[in-house]
Amino acid sequence: MDITTLENWLWDAACSVRGPLDAPKYKDYILPLLFYKRLSDVYDDELRKLSQEFGDEALARQLAEEDRALIRFYIPNGYIWPEVRKSPVRLGERLTEALRQIAKENPKLKGVIDIVDFNATAAGQRILDDDTLARLMEILNRQQLGLRDVEPDILGRAYEYLLRKFAEGSGQSAGEFYTPKEVATLMTCILDAEEGDTVYDPACGSGGLLIKAQLRLKEKVATRLGKDVHDLKPGDVQRPLQLYGQEINHVTYAMAKMNAFVHDMEADIALGDTMKAPRFTDDGSLQTFDKVTANPMWNQKFGTEVYENDSFNRFTRGTPPASSADWGWIQHMVASLKKDGKMAVVLDTGAVSRGSGNQGSNKERDVRRAFVEGSLLDPGNMVEAVVLLPENLFYNTSAPGIILVIRRGGPESRPHPGEILLVNASKLCAKGRPKNYLTEEHIRQIYEVYRDWREEEGLSAVVTTAEAARNDYNLSPSRYVATNDVEPPLPLEEALVLLAQAEEARAEADAGLEAVLAELGFGGWREG
């Protein structure tokens, strides 16, 4: 399902509940029904597969009921989507009962799918009457949501659209940034997780990057065995990835759990603020993982106390500015990596260039320097690669992003010590409406340049850490790889971050001046 089809479909769904519900409440009723439709369609796929194997649909249903190991999950008879949809009388009651029974049969869905009462009242009348619910279900019934019908994170895409279009405080201010599926595919190719690896996303949203990592592993196994990925048997992937994620938003947390459940993947998803209270700890220290991947909110703002009062020793390479937590997130992710671990994170382009060329100190540039020059804990350069993405890929912003690849361990554990690969993929996209996108050929081209560590004119360059130092630790690919285009204007979001950093630096300078003058007996000179 392409973006336009998805948006038109959800728009029709939202219009069907206009009137009874305020716009910010649309998602509270549409999303649980999407959960339900997705579950039911995947369950139908499971039963169809069993029917083909045993030659009889009735027998397949009986076997599924008697032996739950044959299927991913179980929906009791009478509670699948088509059966409930045909019950116009007491529909709200039937829906609520169906979702609670499904959660009862599948304990991992407790608190995920059964949180809405479709029969609820306010001021003595139904919030959504049965006729409205029936219209909504008919609209949602137009699309098939099986595993082969839609992308893995269809629920995240739907939530993103509803939030952006209808919810209060939507968009960037709410921190809702979902990773385009092709960017997620590229990231998982670069990470290249192996069987049994632990993979962690500290800002997992609806779990899309974690799901993609597992699917990438399945594709590798299927290729090795000469099979279609959908024909893999449970034992073909002998040691699946162990997935871990933390998410601050309770709705997207539920979606991450739902996504993992539908794909029959084991995932430990925690609810909470990763920067202030990381959940994956071991005896007071951070738990570490083989691979880490994330697309945290770009240029998030945290007070300096978050870094200064940290009890997990995460921010040893420098304190990020209050105007952008990008390098705070990076340092948390590095602290969550095993000694020979590897990470890939999507960030705003300014994360790799802000502050370079400034006179005096700059917090972000100084943290970058620490990553390039290394430390006692991680000697040598840790920045392996930077990929500049095209503009207008991400849903809530037209600004381009970058993929930053970092590898821990000493120079002996890195395939290209003392070097950084910079890929300017800003022109590798297909134009679309409303968003541009990467084709399979673009993904293959970028990944092969990374895999082969190849310089290609107009696309990639390999620079030494000494050259990065001469450029004041500016790691923007566009600085090293020319595309013969006019430099694009500074994105508004980037200009606002730079302005905030300048204001922050000015305030710190003023505070320092006040302290010096106070020591000299000129305290309160401004008032005078």
Side-chain angles (χ1 to χ4, degrees):
M1 189 191 308
D2 61 31
I3 290 177
T4 301
T5 302
L6 173 70
E7 291 189 352
N8 290 339
W9 180 49
L10 292 173
W11 175 263
D12 288 345
C15 289
S16 75
V17 294
R18 180 177 290 164
L21 290 178
D22 292 333
K25 296 291 184 184
Y26 292 170
K27 62 180 173 53
D28 299 341
Y29 286 84
I30 294 174
L31 281 174
L33 288 178
L34 280 175
F35 280 17
Y36 181 27
K37 180 68 164 60
R38 172 79 152 148
L39 267 180
S40 190
D41 286 355
V42 173
Y43 186 64
D44 279 347
D45 290 345
E46 293 282 283
L47 290 179
R48 194 174 300 112
K49 200 172 179 180
L50 273 183
S51 298
Q52 292 170 354
E53 188 173 341
F54 293 102
D56 183 86
E57 184 177 342
L59 177 60
R61 287 184 178 275
Q62 180 184 339
L63 290 172
E65 184 175 4
E66 293 172 355
D67 185 359
R68 306 295 169 79
L70 292 171
I71 50 177
R72 296 169 187 259
F73 52 87
Y74 178 67
I75 298 181
N77 290 333
Y79 293 114
I80 61 173
W81 175 276
E83 293 169 327
V84 173
R85 188 170 65 88
K86 293 174 183 175
S87 308
V89 179
R90 299 172 45 244
L91 181 57
E93 193 176 322
R94 284 277 291 149
L95 268 174
T96 304
E97 180 186 4
L99 297 184
R100 289 175 181 173
Q101 286 298 319
I102 292 170
K104 184 178 178 180
E105 291 286 348
N106 304 275
K108 290 181 181 178
L109 292 180
K110 282 276 189 184
V112 174
I113 196 172
D114 55 345
I115 55 178
V116 174
D117 181 358
F118 289 96
N119 208 41
T121 61
Q125 66 178 23
R126 288 274 299 279
I127 296 174
L128 282 187
D129 60 33
D130 287 344
D131 288 342
T132 304
L133 279 173
R135 283 199 308 274
L136 177 56
M137 289 189 75
E138 286 303 311
I139 291 168
L140 296 181
N141 196 59
R142 293 175 189 167
Q143 300 290 340
Q144 285 297 114
L145 303 180
L147 293 179
R148 297 192 185 210
D149 300 314
V150 291
E151 64 175 287
D153 194 19
I154 183 63
L155 299 175
R157 300 284 170 240
Y159 178 59
E160 177 181 43
Y161 172 75
L162 292 170
L163 192 81
R164 181 171 60 91
K165 197 75 177 177
F166 302 110
E168 292 174 347
S170 64
Q172 183 176 346
S173 62
E176 302 301 334
F177 280 85
Y178 286 86
T179 313
K181 62 181 180 179
E182 63 272 18
V183 175
T185 298
L186 176 58
M187 291 174 73
T188 56
C189 288
I190 289 172
L191 276 181
D192 200 29
E194 299 292 344
E195 287 195 46
D197 276 356
T198 53
V199 183
Y200 169 58
D201 184 342
C204 71
S206 54
L209 287 173
L210 294 173
I211 302 299
K212 276 285 190 183
Q214 191 78 278
L215 293 177
R216 162 72 176 169
L217 175 63
K218 287 187 174 184
E219 288 167 1
K220 286 167 59 178
V221 171
T223 300
R224 189 178 73 237
L225 297 177
K227 292 184 175 183
D228 183 277
V229 69
H230 295 287
D231 295 329
L232 288 177
K233 303 294 183 185
D236 287 341
V237 181
Q238 296 179 5
R239 292 182 302 133
L241 302 180
Q242 301 170 61
L243 306 178
Y244 300 82
Q246 184 165 338
E247 170 55 28
I248 192 171
N249 182 303
H250 73 280
V251 177
T252 41
Y253 157 80
M255 270 190 267
K257 293 177 74 72
M258 177 74 178
N259 272 337
F261 181 84
V262 166
H263 285 86
D264 196 26
M265 297 177 183
E266 290 295 326
D268 188 349
I269 308 296
L271 180 64
D273 187 329
T274 297
M275 292 294 281
K276 295 179 180 177
R279 299 292 186 220
F280 294 101
T281 59
D282 185 10
D283 293 329
S285 299
L286 290 181
Q287 189 174 339
T288 55
F289 306 90
D290 297 301
K291 302 290 192 297
V292 179
T293 185
N295 180 11
M297 180 181 175
W298 300 356
N299 300 315
Q300 198 170 4
K301 294 175 174 59
F302 285 112
T304 54
E305 69 278 0
V306 171
Y307 309 116
E308 294 169 354
N309 300 329
D310 178 58
S311 60
F312 296 99
N313 204 33
R314 290 179 287 178
F315 309 110
T316 58
R317 295 169 180 84
T319 301
S323 54
S324 175
D326 288 352
W327 285 94
W329 278 107
I330 293 168
Q331 291 188 80
H332 168 80
M333 294 171 71
V334 168
S336 302
L337 267 182
K338 290 183 178 179
K339 294 297 183 184
D340 57 349
K342 181 180 177 183
M343 62 173 263
V345 56
V346 180
L347 293 166
D348 171 36
T349 54
V352 291
S353 61
R354 280 191 297 263
S356 294
N358 286 3
Q359 295 298 316
S361 66
N362 176 274
K363 289 181 177 179
E364 287 191 289
R365 188 266 318 277
D366 293 346
V367 177
R368 282 200 303 277
R369 175 195 293 139
F371 271 81
V372 172
E373 293 184 351
S375 63
L376 290 176
L377 191 62
D378 291 286
N381 167 50
M382 295 176 65
V383 180
E384 184 169 79
V386 181
V387 179
L388 174 62
L389 297 167
E391 64 180 12
N392 201 31
L393 288 182
F394 295 87
Y395 222 8
N396 286 347
T397 178
S398 61
I402 55 104
I403 299 174
L404 176 68
V405 185
I406 284 178
R407 195 185 290 263
R408 285 202 70 179
E412 69 285 348
S413 69
R414 298 183 187 123
H416 305 282
E419 294 182 342
I420 303 171
L421 176 69
L422 300 165
V423 182
N424 186 346
S426 59
K427 301 304 172 187
L428 294 185
C429 71
K431 298 296 182 181
R433 291 184 179 180
K435 290 292 169 180
N436 298 334
Y437 60 95
L438 302 176
T439 66
E440 289 186 8
E441 174 59 24
H442 294 142
I443 295 169
R444 184 195 60 77
Q445 189 175 357
I446 297 167
Y447 171 62
E448 288 183 355
V449 163
Y450 168 79
R451 184 195 62 194
D452 300 339
W453 205 255
R454 188 172 74 235
E455 287 192 303
E456 189 172 315
E457 187 174 354
L459 180 60
S460 62
V462 175
V463 301
T464 64
T465 53
E467 187 175 351
R470 286 195 297 273
N471 283 287
D472 201 21
Y473 306 96
N474 183 332
L475 303 179
S476 175
S478 61
R479 184 176 183 88
Y480 303 86
V481 184
T483 58
N484 299 320
D485 284 333
V486 177
E487 189 73 18
L490 190 68
L492 177 60
E493 299 97 321
E494 183 69 10
L496 291 174
V497 172
L498 291 172
L499 177 61
Q501 288 192 7
E503 289 291 335
E504 188 179 343
R506 183 193 60 77
E508 289 179 359
D510 280 356
L513 178 61
E514 290 280 5
V516 170
L517 291 174
E519 286 185 9
L520 296 174
F522 294 101
W525 64 280
R526 290 182 186 275
E527 289 80 358

